[in-house]
Amino acid sequence: MPGARLLFSLDPAVAHLNHGSFGAVPIAVQRAQQRLRDEMEANPLRFFTRGLSERIAYTRRHLATFLGAEPDGAALVGNASTGTAVVLQSLGLRAGDEVLLTDHGYGAVRLAVERESRRAGAVYRTLAVPLTATDDEWVAAIRSELRPGRTRLLVVDQLTSPTARLLPTAAISAAARSMDVPVLVDAAHAPGMLPTAVREVGADFWVGNLHKWAYAPRGTALLAVAERWRSRIEPLVVSWEQDAGFPLSVEYQATLDYTSWLAAPTGLFTLRTLGLDAVREHNTALAAYGQQVVGAALGLEPAQLPPPGGPSVAMRIVPLRRGLASTIDDARALRQRISDELATEVAVNAWGGRGYLRLSAQVYNRAEEYDRLAERLPSMLATLG
């Protein structure tokens, strides 16, 4: 979008094509957070003891309303990983229970499930779903693996991180609900990017980051919980608002720096000022363009480029040749080399034994950045064995 780059403090010498990993905070939001930090440091006692809980609740209501979640049934948390940890420890897993994941899920979530299962004597299983699976095939595959009475939690992504697939989470949640299996939707990429309201997903637990696509400072996420679970939710750290119950018991963590949460509404104001529909249309179209030009440069036909699974997806993946970046360590090494040699930030993921380049698009990006990557990337990859 014309002039949008000026809203951010990004290094102009670098092409930032990986907004999906850590986002980018607009300058106006940075300044709003700094004013809050100044307020906090001017009188810490006043900041933490006079009206902080009310300010947090106001922010929560603002963000939850934007996301289509029930304000009293949601809590602010640091990120999607934190929300996942809260859910896992609140479930009360026992020996013989199981948690079902898919192989499209985020690695840190799998590690969290692995740790909680080990502590409880439970088990977890990972369901492999083809990259080309249709929505109906996704629902059927998951339904066939659920075990009522034993499967205590299904974890599924709204938009997958390694494969950039938009999943039919509402249909998946309905299928699981019919078998009395709770669902946690990892919606790390949903806020700001996807128009779907939280209530439409119908999950027992939903957690999404606002620092990626909603222009909030990092450390801002929302955990939405279905009514039947709210009385069972326990915070990771017990503090003075423990007796208040969910959501405040989860939100209030003593001397946590709350300025990222309190500045988050400024991020939504920035997004609305740009025009939510205009931002989504720009990002979706530019991500598709980037996938096409980079894919063509690597010798891929349009049919070989995985579709995102739905509209409004501002991330696309490009398959790399087999044997390249097929492990996590190799993928990280390639990402760093692209950064160092091509002055371009991208995501590189190893999934299903193959490497994939993941491209994001945001309002500060321009088509020529993807053109430049397409021109330079093939020769660099040719030097790799």
Side-chain angles (χ1 to χ4, degrees):
M1 301 178 71
R5 182 87 176 218
L6 298 177
L7 299 176
F8 298 83
S9 54
L10 294 165
D11 183 353
V14 176
H16 300 272
L17 310 183
N18 187 20
H19 187 88
S21 285
F22 298 103
V25 183
I27 295 171
V29 182
Q30 296 179 42
R31 290 174 177 169
Q33 186 177 14
Q34 187 57 52
R35 288 193 294 271
L36 288 160
R37 288 194 179 115
D38 292 342
E39 176 192 346
M40 178 173 61
E41 297 305 333
N43 192 331
L45 188 65
R46 179 184 293 270
F47 182 88
F48 283 99
T49 63
R50 296 194 187 181
L52 178 59
S53 296
E54 289 78 10
R55 294 174 78 176
I56 292 172
Y58 171 82
T59 300
R60 182 209 319 133
R61 288 194 294 269
H62 189 104
L63 302 183
T65 300
F66 171 77
L67 295 173
E70 185 179 343
D72 292 336
L76 294 169
V77 292
N79 49 42
S81 296
T82 302
T84 298
V86 169
V87 171
L88 288 172
Q89 81 151 15
S90 300
L91 275 178
L93 292 175
R94 300 185 300 269
D97 292 339
E98 71 170 25
V99 178
L100 182 63
L101 310 168
T102 82
D103 62 343
H104 293 251
Y106 188 57
V109 170
R110 178 187 59 78
L111 291 173
V113 169
E114 179 181 325
R115 186 183 73 168
E116 195 64 27
S117 298
R118 183 172 63 250
R119 286 176 171 175
V123 298
Y124 72 92
R125 293 186 296 122
T126 302
L127 171 64
V129 183
L131 187 60
T132 56
T134 64
D135 285 358
D136 289 343
E137 289 169 341
W138 264 97
V139 175
I142 288 175
R143 184 191 292 273
S144 68
E145 293 296 321
L146 296 177
R147 301 173 181 176
R150 184 175 181 186
T151 306
R152 291 290 309 285
L153 184 68
L154 165 66
V155 183
V156 66
D157 297 59
Q158 190 163 352
L159 178 62
T160 65
S161 179
T163 55
R165 280 298 308 271
L166 181 63
L167 302 187
T169 45
I172 291 171
S173 295
R177 189 165 53 249
S178 70
M179 302 174 73
D180 199 27
V181 175
V183 180
L184 166 61
V185 171
D186 179 356
H189 292 276
M193 184 202 291
L194 305 178
T196 306
V198 173
R199 67 175 69 90
E200 295 174 1
V201 176
D204 297 84
F205 313 100
W206 180 101
V207 59
N209 293 325
L210 284 99
H211 72 262
K212 293 178 182 287
W213 303 94
Y215 299 157
R218 292 170 198 87
T220 306
L222 192 79
L223 170 65
V225 178
E227 186 172 3
R228 69 187 182 115
W229 290 99
R230 293 170 195 168
S231 63
R232 299 173 56 179
I233 296 296
E234 293 287 350
L236 297 178
V237 177
V238 173
S239 194
W240 283 106
E241 295 292 349
Q242 176 68 11
D243 291 342
F246 183 85
L248 192 54
S249 62
V250 170
E251 293 171 330
Y252 191 79
Q253 301 288 296
T255 51
L256 187 73
D257 184 349
Y258 299 95
T259 61
S260 61
W261 297 355
L262 301 182
T266 305
L268 295 186
F269 177 81
T270 303
L271 186 58
R272 290 186 173 112
T273 300
L274 290 170
L276 189 55
D277 291 339
V279 168
R280 286 172 174 160
E281 290 172 6
H282 170 276
N283 294 348
T284 301
L286 192 55
Y289 175 80
Q291 182 193 46
Q292 291 166 7
V293 296
V294 174
L298 297 182
L300 297 173
E301 298 294 332
Q304 295 175 286
L305 299 174
S312 299
V313 176
M315 299 192 305
R316 300 293 182 99
I317 60 172
V318 177
L320 299 172
R321 72 169 186 265
R322 295 198 176 275
L324 186 64
S326 57
T327 68
I328 293 177
D329 289 342
D330 288 347
R332 288 173 177 168
L334 178 57
R335 173 180 57 80
Q336 292 173 7
R337 185 166 178 179
I338 293 173
S339 174
D340 294 341
E341 297 183 15
L342 305 185
T344 302
E345 300 295 351
V346 299
V348 182
N349 295 308
W351 183 84
R354 186 168 185 178
Y356 291 87
L357 184 75
R358 193 189 74 190
L359 301 171
S360 299
Q362 189 47 268
V363 294
Y364 53 73
N365 290 128
R366 303 180 305 276
E368 50 264 34
E369 294 176 305
Y370 303 89
D371 294 336
R372 188 161 55 247
L373 177 63
E375 292 170 2
R376 302 170 63 192
L377 183 61
S379 59
M380 195 202 80
L381 296 183
T383 67
L384 303 177

